[in-house]
């Protein structure tokens, strides 16, 4: 699986959009970009995933650059409950279906 | 519907003891995964099952760790002769098929004294 790199931390104000960056410059054509988050003392929670098109669901939007070397997870109106560690994962399709987590980015939403 | 459940939520044991950790996947999910998370780190893959068989056990750290899924649903992770370094959160995830999105349980926090 392609290695992803994320800044260690960021913060944003409650009610504002949180834009979480991820670099995956070695991603291959058959690797999806997955985002999970982990709120303190809980299991990881699936957020969204995409291959090359931008994706949106009730939780977030995922913007993938045209060259697929980076992506941004957007939480449109961050709340205090969005404070968590966010993991960006490049996951290959096919037989190797495990997730390879890095250290993620810690998002702190301030009141 | 019900998510992935794991029992116990916390387990304290003494060095050298045997422990079993249980995972109940989402009903109908054929793939089941075990991960381990140490403090301050992301989860690390241990093993995954497709149905009853272990399709990939390359993440198991040594032969003290073993997992089963005899009927293709519930899975048990077994750790023999526990060591203090085994202390971690053990996470289970399941997916409808092996390439589909994985959904995680709350984890079992294991502390080896």
């Amino acid at each position: 699986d392609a290695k992803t790199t994320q800044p260690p931390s960021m913060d944003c104000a409650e009610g504002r959009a949180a834009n979480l960056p991820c670099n995956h410059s070695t991603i291959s054509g058959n690797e999806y970009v997955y985002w999970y988050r982990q709120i303190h003392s809980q299991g990881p929670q699936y957020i969204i995933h995409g291959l090359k098109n931008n994706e949106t669901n009730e939780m977030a939007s995922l913007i993938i650059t045209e060259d697929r070397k980076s992506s941004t997870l957007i939480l449109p109106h961050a709340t205090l409950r969005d404070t968590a560690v966010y993991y960006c994962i490049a996951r290959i399709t096919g037989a190797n279906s495990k997730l390879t987590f890095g250290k993620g980015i810690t998002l702190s939403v301030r009141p | 519907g019900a998510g992935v459940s794991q029992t116990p939520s916390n387990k304290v044991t003494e060095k050298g003891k045997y422990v079993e950790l249980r995972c109940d996947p989402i009903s109908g999910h054929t793939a089941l995964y075990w991960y381990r998370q140490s403090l301050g780190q992301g989860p690390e893959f241990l093993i995954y099952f497709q149905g009853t068989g272990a399709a990939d056990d390359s993440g198991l750290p040594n032969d003290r760790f073993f997992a089963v899924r005899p009927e293709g649903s519930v899975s048990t992770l077994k750790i023999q002769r526990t060591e203090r370094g085994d202390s971690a959160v053990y996470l289970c995830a399941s997916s409808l098929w092996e390439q589909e999105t994985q959904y995680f349980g709350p984890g079992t926090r294991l502390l080896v004294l």
Side-chain angles (χ1 to χ4, degrees):
Chain A
D1 294 344
K3 180 179 170 59
T4 62
T5 56
Q6 302 175 257
S9 63
M10 66 176 290
D11 63 15
C12 75
E14 189 176 20
R16 304 298 294 269
N19 298 306
L20 287 71
C22 180
N23 286 322
H24 30 79
S25 58
T26 61
I27 198 168
S28 59
N30 62 348
E31 286 183 297
Y32 284 80
V33 178
Y34 274 76
W35 283 83
Y36 281 79
R37 75 179 182 184
Q38 191 169 25
I39 295 169
H40 183 61
S41 296
Q42 297 182 21
Q45 177 189 23
Y46 166 76
I47 302 173
I48 199 167
H49 74 281
L51 186 62
K52 51 184 177 182
N53 297 323
N54 297 337
E55 301 287 345
T56 295
N57 62 21
E58 65 279 3
M59 289 184 69
S61 295
L62 175 60
I63 309 297
I64 303 174
T65 58
E66 193 169 342
D67 63 9
R68 301 190 70 240
K69 292 185 177 182
S70 66
S71 60
T72 302
L73 180 75
I74 301 173
L75 307 179
H77 306 288
T79 71
L80 299 179
R81 288 176 295 180
D82 292 322
T83 292
V85 178
Y86 287 75
Y87 296 99
C88 169
I89 301 165
R91 182 191 185 195
I92 198 165
T93 58
N96 182 358
S97 59
K98 65 188 178 187
L99 295 170
T100 302
F101 289 81
K103 290 192 174 182
I105 178 172
T106 299
L107 173 67
S108 300
V109 180
R110 61 180 188 275
Chain B
V4 177
S5 63
Q6 294 186 246
T7 54
S9 54
N10 293 281
K11 176 71 176 178
V12 181
T13 191
E14 294 178 342
K15 180 174 177 294
K17 299 290 188 183
Y18 168 83
V19 296
E20 290 190 350
L21 312 178
R22 176 187 168 110
C23 173
D24 280 86
I26 294 171
S27 178
H29 279 197
T30 65
L32 184 147
Y33 307 78
W34 284 99
Y35 294 81
R36 179 169 73 170
Q37 186 171 25
S38 301
L39 198 61
Q41 305 295 317
E44 293 180 308
F45 169 78
L46 295 176
I47 184 171
Y48 99 86
F49 292 85
Q50 180 58 43
T52 60
D56 182 354
D57 65 358
S58 62
L60 295 177
N62 52 59
D63 61 6
R64 294 187 298 105
F65 289 74
F66 189 71
V68 295
R69 195 185 185 202
E71 297 179 357
S73 178
V74 171
S75 177
T76 304
L77 179 66
K78 309 180 180 196
I79 310 174
Q80 298 177 320
R81 305 182 303 280
T82 52
E83 300 177 357
R84 292 192 180 90
D86 299 335
S87 297
V89 176
Y90 289 81
L91 294 160
C92 177
S94 71
S95 63
L96 188 59
W97 302 102
E98 63 182 341
Q99 297 177 27
E100 297 292 319
T101 298
Q102 295 177 29
Y103 296 93
F104 284 80
T108 293
R109 285 153 189 78
L110 176 66
L111 177 61
V112 182
L113 301 177

